[in-house]
Each structure stands twice: as C-alpha cells, then as structure tokens.
Amino acid sequence: DNSNPLNIREGNPGLKPSFTHNIQASWNNYWEATRRSANANISYNTTSNSIANRTEYNEETGGQRTRPENINGNWSMNATVGFNTPLGWERLTMNASTSGSHDNRVSYIYQNHETFKNTVISNTLGENISISLRMNNFDVRATGRINWHKTESELVESSNQSTFDFRYGLSSTGNFDNGFGFSTD
C-alpha cells in the first residue's frame, strides 16, 4: 500500500505470543440463623509479551514507520468485599459492597519524532448499597453507588484525571394473578 508513503505500517514476524496469567481467590459464607451473608474476592492478572504499536521517525524520508512490538508491564488487581443482612424483618434486606482496582498499562507513544515507553496507572474505589423489600408478588429496590477514578500517565500529563461518579435509583417488579406483570427501573 503506497497511498501514504510518509506513514508506513508494517508487520513484525518476530513477535512473541502474548500470555495472560490469572489468579483469583474467593470466600463466601452464609449464616442461616441470622440470614446474613458475606463474600470477598481478589484477583490478579498479568500479560507477558503484550503487543503495542511502536512508531519510529525516519530522518531520511521525514516520514514515520509503525510496527507492532512486544512489551511487558501490563497487570491489574481487583478486590471486592460484600455483606447482605436482613433489616429487622426477613423481607427487608440491605446489601453493601466495596470494591477497588489498580491497573498498570504500558504502551509506546510517539512525540516530537521520538518514541517513548509510557505507563498509565488507574485506580478505582467504589461503594454500592441497596435496600430491597420482597413481598409475595412484588419487589422494590433502592440503590446508590459512588465511584472514584484516578488515572495518571507517566508522560502525557493532559491525560491525568481524578473523577467521581454516582448513580442512584429505584426499581420494582411485580406479577399479577392473571399472568401479567410489570417492571420499572
């Protein structure tokens, strides 16, 4: 393809295959006497020989050449802890969970005719709570969630962000004796 001779894209027959390695641990428990439950989960994954596009400047032509290259350093961790309990009456329950994650992502960036290895670190913390009322033919649930996200790039400061987002809502479902039902969210 000679449509853009100053921007050459080529393959790389020397690429190694990527491998992702995962490890996860989970714990769950239910206490029948109190109708409470709790859980915890943690996971870690890493990728060996990730593939990222690397761009190099060609001083002879003034153009650039881009090709895929292997790169290492991509990994992440996630953890969640949850708890569910009745609120004085078995039909009224509360569910709460806290979660967090950390991501380390590496890639190549091309700036001012030079290629650099860049690392982007992202962290997230979240809290979720819901209260549910379950009747024979009718359920209603109020929910709320807040998340904090922070992203930092080693080399591209304009990409750095720290944000909050939140969600809340009310949902319900019901069934009538005649076979009809409804659902709201």
Side-chain angles (χ1 to χ4, degrees):
D1 181 8
N2 206 13
S3 61
N4 188 353
L6 294 179
N7 186 10
I8 305 296
R9 298 189 70 76
E10 57 185 29
N12 183 353
L15 281 176
K16 298 175 187 172
S18 295
F19 292 99
T20 301
H21 312 277
N22 299 302
I23 186 167
Q24 181 176 345
S26 298
W27 171 82
N28 297 298
N29 201 359
Y30 176 71
W31 297 274
E32 190 171 346
T34 59
R35 297 185 184 259
R36 290 182 175 153
S37 64
N39 62 68
N41 300 293
I42 189 167
S43 65
Y44 172 81
N45 73 60
T46 184
T47 303
S48 302
N49 300 321
S50 294
I51 298 173
N53 285 323
R54 181 182 178 115
T55 302
E56 297 288 341
Y57 178 68
N58 186 332
E59 290 185 25
E60 293 176 17
T61 66
Q64 60 191 31
R65 182 173 305 256
T66 303
R67 67 184 257 166
E69 296 281 341
N70 289 115
I71 192 168
N72 288 311
N74 287 318
W75 62 274
S76 66
M77 288 182 63
N78 299 294
T80 303
V81 175
F83 182 70
N84 186 304
T85 185
L87 295 175
W89 180 38
E90 67 183 39
R91 293 184 181 266
L92 185 64
T93 59
M94 181 196 67
N95 187 330
S97 65
T98 302
S99 61
S101 67
H102 176 87
D103 291 316
N104 192 82
R105 299 287 170 229
V106 294
S107 63
Y108 294 110
I109 61 170
Y110 180 70
Q111 293 178 330
N112 301 323
H113 303 301
E114 290 189 58
T115 301
F116 303 96
K117 182 178 177 181
N118 186 41
T119 302
V120 175
I121 295 173
S122 299
N123 292 297
T124 302
L125 290 174
E127 181 65 33
N128 186 39
I129 190 165
S130 66
I131 296 176
S132 301
L133 174 64
R134 292 189 169 95
M135 303 302 283
N136 290 339
N137 292 331
F138 178 76
D139 295 342
V140 64
R141 174 182 287 192
T143 60
R145 179 169 185 84
I146 186 165
N147 285 319
W148 169 73
H149 308 276
K150 184 173 184 178
T151 303
E152 291 183 333
S153 173
E154 185 178 50
L155 299 176
V156 185
E157 195 172 309
S158 62
S159 297
N160 297 349
Q161 294 184 17
S162 181
T163 62
F164 280 94
D165 67 75
F166 63 93
R167 295 175 222 155
Y168 58 89
L170 185 66
S171 61
S172 64
T173 58
N175 294 304
F176 300 109
D177 291 335
N178 61 6
F180 284 96
F182 69 92
S183 176
T184 64
D185 190 9

